[in-house]
Amino acid sequence: MTDNKFIAASVQASPVFLDKDKTIKKVSKLIKEAKKNGASLVVFPEAFIPTYPFWPKDLGFGSERKLVMDAQMELFKNSVEIPGRDIEKISKTAKKENIHVVIGVNERDGGTLYNTIVYIDNDGSLIGKHRKLMSIDSEKCIWGNGKAEDVNVFNTKLGKIGGLFCYEHHLTLQKYAMIQMGEQIHTGLWGGHGFAKNTMDFSSKQYAFEGQTFVIISSIYIDEDMIPDSFPLKDQTVWDYPGGSGIINPRGEYIAGPVYDKEEIVYGEIDLDQILRAKAIIDSAGHFSRPDIFNFEIKK
């Protein structure tokens, strides 16, 4: 490998449902597996620790409402603080394996939960984080919104890495902000919803082509058999989460995946020179941006 080439790993897996400690152990195991197979970067799905909140978020009042609140409390208790001891465990594994890690977590801050991407360097240091700017549908019952400082791209030894969650890929100005920041490696973290299967595919390919970036899609895969019978909202939830993880080049073409209906780590070679070839045709933050006509500002 040259300095411009490395192997990226996209994890498609299920968390150990609502169990932070066991999920972190699984994360450590998957990091080691990715490194063993030559990866320099490993990406995990949205809200992987301790799970994406798949269940109905608002069932009205009375006994069903209590079940929703019970699930919310379990999610909160098994969420992580940033920085904190739980992130340190993952950082130690990253340092030991000499690998960059990007992972989606439920972050607790005071009494509020956030849907957060955590970036960890190969030396185990916490590079930064991104809180989801805008949740969709009933997610608004779970997570608070990020702020301007959550629009970010991070410099690493591998290149400029950024990331978004699922339908943030349709938050058009946020996308352009990251393109303008020079993002080269985009991590797209998804919950794996079956209804979003087609959206995950076309929005990821469009992001790669429009931004001249590599896109690493990491999605949860989970089915009903993975959910303990003790979970009170199991029967009220439609467990349709087939995944769709893969890796896409700056021309909008899959170089690995997409993968559905199973747990798997997807691997692909990232060659940053391909970005220069794509930008020779379309450079969305350069000669294709027309700054003489358009002006863009991030209100930080």
Side-chain angles (χ1 to χ4, degrees), residues 19-294:
D19 191 319
K20 174 182 67 177
D21 294 332
K22 289 183 179 179
T23 299
I24 290 173
K25 288 181 181 178
K26 183 170 184 176
V27 167
S28 179
K29 180 181 178 182
L30 291 167
I31 290 172
K32 292 175 182 177
E33 181 179 343
K35 180 61 180 182
K36 183 178 179 181
N37 286 302
S40 297
L41 167 66
V42 58
V43 182
F44 288 84
E46 177 179 19
F48 196 69
I49 301 173
T51 189
Y52 180 90
F54 303 104
W55 54 88
K57 282 68 165 183
D58 189 353
L59 291 176
F61 301 96
S63 59
E64 287 190 326
R65 179 61 180 165
K66 180 182 182 301
L67 297 181
V68 172
M69 291 306 298
D70 288 346
Q72 173 76 1
M73 289 302 97
E74 282 302 306
L75 182 66
F76 186 89
K77 291 175 182 178
N78 282 275
S79 296
V80 305
E81 296 178 349
I82 305 169
R85 293 176 59 186
D86 297 310
I87 297 301
E88 287 174 4
K89 292 176 184 178
I90 300 171
S91 295
K92 286 180 181 178
T93 304
K95 181 177 182 179
K96 182 178 179 181
E97 299 299 325
N98 187 30
I99 189 171
H100 295 75
V101 178
V102 178
I103 185 167
V105 304
N106 287 272
E107 177 195 3
R108 66 186 189 199
D109 186 354
T112 299
L113 289 180
Y114 295 92
N115 190 2
T116 301
I117 303 175
V118 179
Y119 299 85
I120 299 171
D121 214 336
N122 64 320
D123 63 3
S125 61
L126 178 63
I127 302 172
K129 67 181 182 181
H130 162 77
R131 287 175 172 173
K132 191 173 186 177
L133 292 194
M134 181 58 65
S135 296
I136 64 165
D137 298 333
S138 61
E139 289 179 350
K140 296 182 180 73
C141 299
I142 301 289
W143 294 312
N145 291 333
K147 299 179 180 179
E149 58 262 33
D150 293 293
V151 182
N152 42 38
V153 170
F154 299 102
N155 289 312
T156 74
K157 300 177 184 71
L158 301 178
K160 294 183 177 182
I161 300 179
L164 298 175
F165 290 112
C166 63
Y167 275 51
E168 281 191 302
H169 291 88
H170 305 288
L171 217 166
T172 305
L173 295 183
Q174 184 179 10
K175 289 166 53 180
Y176 185 71
M178 296 177 70
I179 294 169
Q180 196 176 60
M181 291 176 181
E183 185 183 33
Q184 297 171 298
I185 305 144
H186 177 76
T187 57
L189 281 61
W190 296 76
H193 302 72
F195 69 80
K197 187 175 179 180
N198 186 48
T199 303
M200 188 189 315
D201 178 67
F202 74 70
S203 63
S204 299
K205 289 190 287 188
Q206 172 64 17
Y207 193 103
F209 183 83
E210 188 174 11
Q212 301 86 55
T213 68
F214 282 89
V215 172
I216 302 168
I217 311 165
S218 178
S219 174
I220 287 179
Y221 158 69
I222 200 165
D223 64 30
E224 189 171 355
D225 292 338
M226 299 174 178
I227 309 304
D229 291 337
S230 58
F231 180 60
L233 291 171
K234 182 174 181 176
D235 292 340
Q236 285 96 331
T237 305
V238 178
W239 300 99
D240 179 24
Y241 296 89
S245 302
I247 300 175
I248 300 169
N249 69 20
R251 292 174 58 86
E253 302 163 336
Y254 281 99
I255 59 174
V259 172
Y260 300 99
D261 299 316
K262 61 181 177 179
E263 291 190 282
E264 184 173 318
I265 301 180
V266 181
Y267 298 92
E269 182 183 80
I270 307 299
D271 180 357
L272 297 183
D273 283 348
Q274 290 186 26
I275 294 175
L276 296 177
R277 289 178 178 273
K279 286 187 178 295
I281 302 170
I282 298 174
D283 184 0
S284 298
H287 67 267
F288 241 66
S289 66
R290 291 304 303 272
D292 56 318
I293 301 175
F294 304 109

